[in-house]
Amino acid sequence: MRYRDKKTQEILENLDPTKNLDPDDFVYDDLFSGSDILDLIETLQLNSNDSTVSYSFDGAQLYQNKKSDTWIGIWVVDDYSPGARYKKKCVLPAVVVPGPNKPKNPDSFLFRSFHHVSALQRENNGAGLRVWDGLKEETVNSRVIVILNTADAVALMELDGRVQYFSFLH
């Protein structure tokens, strides 16, 4: 759970102009390498106690030769290293929308999950959820920050209400 903090510190040290490092040597190897995420971390003044998560929503084809009939939403804890972040034990199920058809109003299924995260963000007047830090051996406040919402082109329409995707290549 300390990966994000270590990685951002490493990146900020490498970007330090006093070190005379060649910017062309910088390796963009993780989502925390991007300037937008680094700006967000700086703006929100995230610390090692805070947690970052991403939400992903997509359809799943359960049977061969059949359209996607089940939609699945998951939470990914981004504070784990990329090697652990996407392992089954680190991915948190958010919602499963059964078929046979895609949801007509996906917001009705997504609401509970995002409402829960919103409630966690308001804990202790926004100071964060009180959690036990085993390394520090103390209780700390951990803010939960959603940094990404991801989906493929078809699921993105369902997630944020964009216009329907049409393929003009027939």
Side-chain angles (χ1 to χ4, degrees):
M1 286 293 291
R2 303 221 183 266
Y3 172 79
R4 176 196 38 87
D5 192 51
K6 289 179 184 176
K7 182 67 175 179
T8 53
Q9 292 305 319
E10 173 188 319
I11 292 168
L12 293 174
E13 286 175 19
N14 287 333
L15 294 176
D16 186 352
T18 62
K19 295 197 176 197
N20 295 325
L21 298 173
D22 186 1
D24 293 333
D25 292 339
F26 185 75
V27 177
Y28 292 88
D29 60 351
D30 191 26
L31 65 102
F32 297 112
S33 300
S35 60
D36 288 340
I37 299 291
L38 292 172
D39 290 345
L40 179 69
I41 289 170
E42 183 181 354
T43 301
L44 297 177
Q45 298 179 346
L46 296 187
N47 61 44
S48 62
N49 298 333
D50 296 327
S51 299
T52 57
V53 296
S54 295
Y55 185 79
S56 184
F57 188 60
D58 204 353
Q61 183 177 355
L62 299 181
Y63 302 102
Q64 188 175 359
N65 300 327
K66 190 172 182 184
K67 289 184 178 181
S68 296
D69 59 356
T70 300
W71 290 77
I72 300 169
I74 60 170
W75 289 104
V76 176
V77 180
D78 298 315
D79 293 296
Y80 292 122
S81 69
R85 184 182 302 158
Y86 302 103
K87 301 284 185 188
K88 184 170 41 172
K89 68 179 181 176
C90 298
V91 173
L92 308 171
V95 65
V96 176
V97 183
N101 302 318
K102 68 181 183 179
K104 290 186 188 220
N105 183 4
D107 289 346
S108 64
F109 295 96
L110 302 174
F111 175 79
R112 286 185 182 264
S113 193
F114 281 94
H115 179 72
H116 184 77
V117 170
S118 176
L120 292 175
Q121 291 173 331
R122 292 189 312 270
E123 275 292 310
N124 296 316
N125 293 320
L129 183 66
R130 305 277 297 153
V131 297
W132 175 255
D133 186 324
L135 190 61
K136 294 179 182 177
E137 295 186 354
E138 66 181 3
T139 303
V140 298
N141 289 324
S142 178
R143 295 179 296 164
V144 178
I145 309 298
V146 179
I147 60 173
L148 290 172
N149 286 318
T150 62
D152 66 4
V154 176
L156 189 59
M157 291 182 324
E158 302 299 329
L159 189 59
D160 73 356
R162 294 182 185 209
V163 249
Q164 186 174 0
Y165 165 79
F166 292 100
S167 175
F168 294 105
L169 303 174
H170 290 293

